[in-house]
Amino acid sequence: MIRRSVIRGTGHYLPERIVENSWFEDKLDTTDDWIRSRTGIERRHFAADGQTTSDLAIRAAKAALDRAGMAAEDIDGIVLATSTPDFTFPAVATMVQAGLGMKRGFAFDVQAVCAGFVFALANADAMIRAGQADRVLVIGAETFSRIMDWTDRSTCVLFGDGAGAVILEAQDSAGTSDDRGVLASDLNSDGAYRELLYVDGGVSSTGTAGQLRMQGNLVFRHAVEKLARTAHTALDRAGVTADQVDWLVPHQANMRIITATAQKMGLPMEKVVLTVADHGNTSAASIPLALSVADGEGRFAPGQLIVTEAIGGGLSWGAVVLRW
């Protein structure tokens, strides 16, 4: 028998403000058709003035608790992925902890940009397996609209704000690939490529938040190759194969990357959960958002095999294989 981390509940929150592609047309040399054809994005959500990453995360966490039929006091810890925190410190996770009324347990942030949720999920799973916690709230939350260069049409049209959350709970299992819960993960980073996707500010460099910079063509090239490879590595570690996968829940960067990665994995698009058209790229929030949306629509069935994968600045990339 081994301890597995089973998903007990999902939840998400999107800010009320919806920004259609047409909003950019009188600000940039771009059109709705240009954005759709190159990214698959039709709209995204932007946080309201004064609305912070922790605000979004708290709402997503409450939604996950409601769906799981749990209360905040049932949770042993929070692992939150973000690269757009409210403050340099404390961690956004601690503000979520306070917002939920939790008086015990741990709360900390993980920073791996768009791959953040995969890293957070793998860390939470490891803590549960090690017996350090029985229930962990894992959150991805971002307000990327705060770090956009609104004169750069190659980046500012891509990103949106939002938050998603899952609750992992320990469950004794047989230790086979048929178990429910997280079966395997694969995490990678290579700092030599940091200039492909970064923010040009920081506490010890400029003393400012900075703005996002990206070499899109190079990121695309790395993304497709690395995402397919990390997914297959995680599948191998789980003792399953790509043809057994029921759902791919990828980081919702853009449709070209998602489609190319699915093709490289040999998966039809009918098995891919897509939210990029309505949410844009919400960085660390995109996978838990997609999980929550698909869960709410009843698309996942008990026992189904799910692969999540993402790549982000760093470069950092990884995948998690789980059985629903």
Side-chain angles (χ1 to χ4, degrees):
M1 298 286 286
I2 69 168
R3 280 167 65 97
R4 295 281 195 198
S5 306
V6 176
I7 292 182
R8 278 289 309 276
T10 63
H12 69 276
Y13 174 74
L14 291 159
E16 292 182 7
R17 183 186 175 193
I18 300 173
V19 178
E20 303 284 348
N21 288 341
S22 56
W23 183 80
F24 294 96
E25 291 183 343
D26 62 352
K27 299 171 177 59
L28 300 164
D29 179 17
T30 192
T31 63
D32 174 44
D33 287 341
W34 188 92
I35 297 170
R36 287 182 189 231
S37 64
R38 285 160 178 79
T39 70
I41 298 168
E42 300 175 17
R43 62 192 62 84
R44 72 287 293 146
H45 294 248
F46 285 167
D49 291 343
Q51 194 173 36
T52 64
T53 297
S54 66
D55 293 331
L56 310 189
I58 290 168
R59 294 198 182 208
K62 288 180 177 178
L65 287 167
D66 287 345
R67 192 173 282 173
M70 293 182 183
E73 55 264 29
D74 297 322
I75 303 299
D76 299 315
I78 300 172
V79 183
L80 187 146
T82 189
S83 47
T84 51
D86 297 21
F87 303 103
T88 301
F89 66 83
V92 176
T94 62
M95 289 180 272
V96 174
Q97 184 185 37
L100 296 177
M102 287 176 58
K103 298 297 184 183
R104 67 179 189 88
F106 57 83
F108 63 90
D109 289 357
V110 170
Q111 217 281 46
V113 200
C114 298
F117 181 78
V118 169
F119 277 58
L121 194 64
N123 274 274
D125 171 57
M127 297 178 80
I128 287 175
R129 288 182 186 235
Q132 292 184 304
D134 292 323
R135 295 188 185 96
V136 180
L137 183 57
V138 189
I139 304 170
E142 302 282 14
T143 49
F144 256 59
S145 62
R146 305 288 159 73
I147 55 170
M148 288 296 99
D149 177 353
W150 299 110
T151 66
D152 181 5
R153 74 168 187 169
S154 67
T155 60
C156 71
V157 301
L158 301 177
F159 294 89
D161 303 335
V166 304
I167 296 171
L168 293 184
E169 182 178 60
Q171 179 174 296
D172 290 333
S173 302
T176 73
S177 61
D178 292 326
D179 293 345
R180 288 191 64 208
V182 175
L183 300 179
S185 60
D186 178 59
L187 304 180
N188 309 270
S189 298
D190 190 341
Y193 295 109
R194 69 177 183 85
E195 292 189 0
L196 298 188
L197 178 55
Y198 68 101
V199 169
D200 61 2
V203 175
S204 66
S205 55
T206 65
T208 65
Q211 294 177 321
L212 185 144
R213 307 297 176 197
M214 180 172 67
Q215 298 180 45
N217 290 336
L218 291 176
V219 170
F220 176 85
R221 221 173 301 161
H222 280 280
V224 175
E225 184 270 328
K226 287 177 168 59
L227 289 174
R229 178 152 45 96
T230 189
H232 280 296
T233 299
L235 286 166
D236 288 344
R237 289 177 181 170
V240 294
T241 56
D243 62 346
Q244 294 175 275
V245 173
D246 293 292
W247 294 102
L248 174 65
V249 186
H251 167 49
Q252 307 288 316
N254 67 58
M255 273 299 298
R256 292 192 305 141
I257 290 176
I258 294 170
T259 301
T261 302
Q263 289 175 344
K264 206 169 181 64
M265 291 180 64
L267 293 176
M269 292 304 292
E270 292 76 20
K271 290 188 174 185
V272 182
V273 174
L274 296 172
T275 60
V276 66
D278 293 325
H279 302 166
N281 183 345
T282 55
S283 189
S286 75
I287 289 176
L289 264 169
L291 285 169
S292 178
V293 168
D295 184 22
E297 293 173 349
R299 298 171 71 180
F300 300 150
Q304 287 189 330
L305 192 67
I306 297 173
V307 178
T308 68
E309 39 82 350
I311 187 169
L315 292 173
S316 296
W317 65 99
V320 172
V321 176
L322 61 92
R323 198 172 289 283
W324 196 253

